[in-house]
Amino acid sequence: MQSRDILQFARATFDRQSFSQLIGAELKDLSDMRAVVEVVLRSELRQQHGYAHGGVLSYLADNAITFAGGVALSGDALTAEFKINYVTPASGPLLRAIAEPVSVSGRQAVCQCRIISLADDEETLVALAQGTVARLPSNHQRTMRASDQGDLTGATPPD
Amino acid sequence: MQSRDILQFARATFDRQSFSQLIGAELKDLSDMRAVVEVVLRSELRQQHGYAHGGVLSYLADNAITFAGGVALSGDALTAEFKINYVTPASGPLLRAIAEPVSVSGRQAVCQCRIISLADDEETLVALAQGTVARLPSNHQRTMRASDQGDLTGATPPD
Amino acid sequence: MQSRDILQFARATFDRQSFSQLIGAELKDLSDMRAVVEVVLRSELRQQHGYAHGGVLSYLADNAITFAGGVALSGDALTAEFKINYVTPASGPLLRAIAEPVSVSGRQAVCQCRIISLADDEETLVALAQGTVARLPSNHQRTMRASDQGDLTGATPPD
Amino acid sequence: MQSRDILQFARATFDRQSFSQLIGAELKDLSDMRAVVEVVLRSELRQQHGYAHGGVLSYLADNAITFAGGVALSGDALTAEFKINYVTPASGPLLRAIAEPVSVSGRQAVCQCRIISLADDEETLVALAQGTVARLPSNHQRTMRASDQGDLTGATPPD
């Protein structure tokens, strides 16, 4: 695919993720340099003390890493693993995850991600993540292409 | 707190997590040996290929680890970090995360977690996680106790 | 390769690792169920307080995971990533890492590892690790086989 | 301690690490912005294919993170956990780990680290790491100070 096609395809993929819709997340920026995913921290996304639930932050890291790595690998990819460090409670009202492919090879893209909480005039770093997006094996790629589904999954390897 | 009080407190805490309600997760079992969190994989929790979104699995790992570690540390605790490996696509219809505190010290509980996907007569391992639940510093504990809020947060350190 | 050949090959590989010899580590047990690597905690392996240096523990985790995953994947594999939690200072005099392939697929083996410190009549858990051993892509496998070098590397992908 | 004292103390600590001497590593730069650890990739540090052993890279990540976080936390600290992604085989002849404290709070410093392999006119990124350096609890700090040992350990919590 051409670069522009990949981006269009990735955006369409994001919008087909039911869970991203449930969360209310948006893919705000996407290039071969980075993916930016944002969500407004409405009350349904909080834990019992009013901060963003850790699971919301881990979703943001997972998905931003998936799309950053997926574009770097031209689309036939999946997130294999990641780790996240929570560093400050996130009170929003806006959360932004920025993931960058730091190392891209024939078989994987290793991405780093930072999540910030944005208020009127303040940005707070709330989490740091690092993970691997793996290129799908070539026979799987053929299946994907045949079925015209592609793969930027935010998910897991169909072995 | 007594052991029984901790468990009651933990269950009440889980039910106060708006995000756990949005996901539809339930705390099915909790002791000083393990925490079990389950969710039915309804369509809103899926990605574009119909499998569980990675963010649902990372939520399950985060929250099961938080509660397993929180009980092991008697309640005044938070999840500081975790890592997750996705190993098989999760098709449900039931997802279960089982977290166990493998090492508990004065300052932290390191927990391991496995997530399985359950169909009629089949269990599939879909993810493995490992993370740290940190005891809150004592001045913070006092605040927590004074305000009767406790802390099993699924969240992040209020430094 | 037959199972027995893999084990022989793996042991020979371990003994060709200069760094394992510098550390003084031994591959004590190896099967498709687990790899056990041991080292006597002599003074050169300690940090300034007399405990095992974190780098010794991370070496043990890295190498035990590599061999456990390498056997599970029949030899053409490399360690792609791992994480380690240090839980107790290790005073030895014997350190033992036990790694098990918990999930094995066509493309990777995800392994868990625990490291214990052994004294006369006491075992202490000192670290927990989890990591990914990746199967080498098939063209790379051919190169490896042609050159009769195999690959259980404790190392990194020659992309 | 004053900033200059911390740096002197940290360098003295590094030189008291027997394992760092066995490896042959040097602390080349240290400030509250970063720690740089280097090692010449002599034959004893290699695996069976001639690349740096994964355990050498994990030692570099562990120790660079420890010192970067230790200075950020003013010295009474230990590395609690880290994760490392190997991205390219490291052939040297010089390896350099650069760790930076990205988030520093009252209780921990979360650091990111990159390891590069340097040849005559080429730099290659060979690994990426992320980890937590934890401040020691205050009673432990007092013990440390009383015994004039300090703590930049590359090691693990004496709970």
Side-chain angles (χ1 to χ4, degrees), chain D residues 48-60:
Chain D
Q48 68 279 12
H49 297 307
Y51 298 117
H53 193 287
V56 174
L57 302 181
S58 67
Y59 155 80
L60 287 171

Side-chain angles (χ1 to χ4, degrees), chain C:
Chain C
M1 284 193 275
Q2 297 296 311
S3 169
R4 187 172 154 191
D5 294 339
I6 290 171
L7 298 186
Q8 286 187 336
F9 173 70
R11 288 177 186 282
T13 299
F14 192 97
D15 293 339
R16 287 206 312 278
Q17 293 187 330
S18 304
F19 188 58
S20 291
Q21 293 183 14
L22 181 68
I23 297 270
E26 287 184 73
L27 183 62
K28 300 293 280 191
D29 189 22
L30 185 65
S31 71
D32 57 359
M33 301 297 288
R34 64 176 200 162
V36 178
V37 180
E38 288 185 2
V39 68
V40 174
L41 185 56
R42 66 190 197 283
S43 61
E44 286 85 350
L45 305 184
R46 298 174 188 262
Q47 33 82 293
Q48 67 279 12
H49 298 306
Y51 298 116
H53 193 286
V56 174
L57 303 180
S58 67
Y59 156 81
L60 288 171
D62 174 289
N63 227 23
I65 285 172
T66 298
F67 280 80
V71 168
L73 296 172
S74 301
D76 296 301
L78 53 86
T79 294
E81 59 86 31
F82 75 99
K83 88 95 90 201
I84 186 166
N85 285 80
Y86 301 117
V87 299
T88 316
S91 45
L94 183 65
L95 302 180
R96 178 182 296 154
I98 302 138
E100 298 171 341
V102 181
S103 167
V104 181
S105 74
R107 47 186 289 138
Q108 68 179 19
V110 176
C111 301
Q112 289 182 327
C113 176
R114 62 188 189 280
I115 305 180
I116 56 178
S117 177
L118 292 101
D120 279 349
D121 47 6
E122 198 177 9
E123 294 193 4
T124 306
L125 178 68
V126 297
L128 286 168
Q130 179 174 311
T132 306
V133 180
R135 186 186 296 281
L136 289 176
S138 52
N139 64 330
H140 189 75
Q141 285 178 33
R142 282 195 296 273
T143 308
M144 284 291 151
R145 282 162 183 161
S147 65
D148 193 22
Q149 293 198 347
D151 203 331
L152 280 159
T153 68
T156 61
D159 302 301

